[in-house]
Amino acid sequence: MLNTEQLMAAHQANVDTLFGLTTKAFEGVEQFVALNLQVAKAGMSEAAEHAKASLSVKDAQELLALQASLLQPAAEKAAAYSRHLYEIAAGTGAEVTKIAEGKLAESQKSFMAVVDSAVKNAPAGSENAVALVKSAVAAANNALESVTKAAKQAQEVAEANFQAINTSAVKATQAATTKARR
């Protein structure tokens, strides 16, 4: 079965995985922070430009035209920002999933090695119990693969829906801006 060295090696591998996952999570947070700083800087300079432009208008009609002209770019920037956030989150999630799937495959392989070792050392007459254990492990692996596939499909659907919502929001803003200009 398992000895102390194998147990310590497994523990060390788990610690390494934990630190790898933590590093990936921090990289995602760094990307979020960098994006937010970039958006904040751009927002401040745009706000200053808009304030100057608002102070130079001569009448209400000109002010309405100015506000209408700012609506579409703001919506496009908001859509681009949310796309960037989604890309960062999806990229980080994909990295974490890749690491987790690798570790899961290793764990399954190790578990099967333990099961095989136990089977070799099983007493005579326990063939039915061994077959039952192997069948249960195979069923669990199949269920896990099905869940993983379903999760990936759900992620793809969510991404497609996110893109569709972003596109429709930008188009709606463009239509509203065009209507407001008339």
Side-chain angles (χ1 to χ4, degrees), residues 11-98:
H11 179 65
Q12 181 62 44
N14 289 337
V15 169
D16 291 343
T17 300
L18 175 64
F19 282 114
L21 291 172
T22 303
T23 299
K24 292 298 177 191
F26 275 112
E27 288 172 3
V29 170
E30 286 175 345
Q31 291 173 344
F32 278 132
V33 169
L35 177 63
N36 285 331
L37 285 172
Q38 180 184 3
V39 168
K41 286 179 183 178
M44 286 177 42
S45 69
E46 288 171 9
E49 290 174 20
H50 297 295
K52 287 178 186 176
S54 295
L55 292 173
S56 68
V57 297
K58 296 178 177 80
D59 59 19
Q61 187 69 20
E62 193 176 333
L63 181 62
L64 287 174
L66 175 66
Q67 293 301 321
S69 71
L70 300 177
L71 182 62
Q72 183 179 347
E76 289 172 355
K77 288 175 187 169
Y81 175 75
S82 40
R83 267 193 309 274
H84 280 86
L85 286 178
Y86 180 79
E87 288 168 3
I88 292 169
T92 302
E95 290 286 332
V96 168
T97 300
K98 181 179 173 183

Side-chain angles (χ1 to χ4, degrees), residues 102-169:
K103 282 298 173 185
L104 181 62
E106 286 178 29
S107 296
Q108 287 174 335
K109 187 176 178 182
S110 296
F111 182 71
M112 286 307 294
V114 169
V115 168
D116 288 341
S117 174
V119 166
K120 288 177 187 173
N121 298 324
S126 62
E127 292 81 16
N128 289 339
V130 168
L132 182 63
V133 169
K134 282 188 170 186
S135 175
V137 169
N141 286 341
N142 288 338
L144 185 60
E145 286 177 19
S146 295
V147 168
T148 303
K149 286 179 186 177
K152 285 181 181 180
Q153 288 174 345
Q155 181 183 1
E156 290 169 1
V157 168
E159 185 174 343
N161 288 340
F162 178 79
Q163 296 298 338
I165 289 170
N166 256 346
T167 302
S168 66

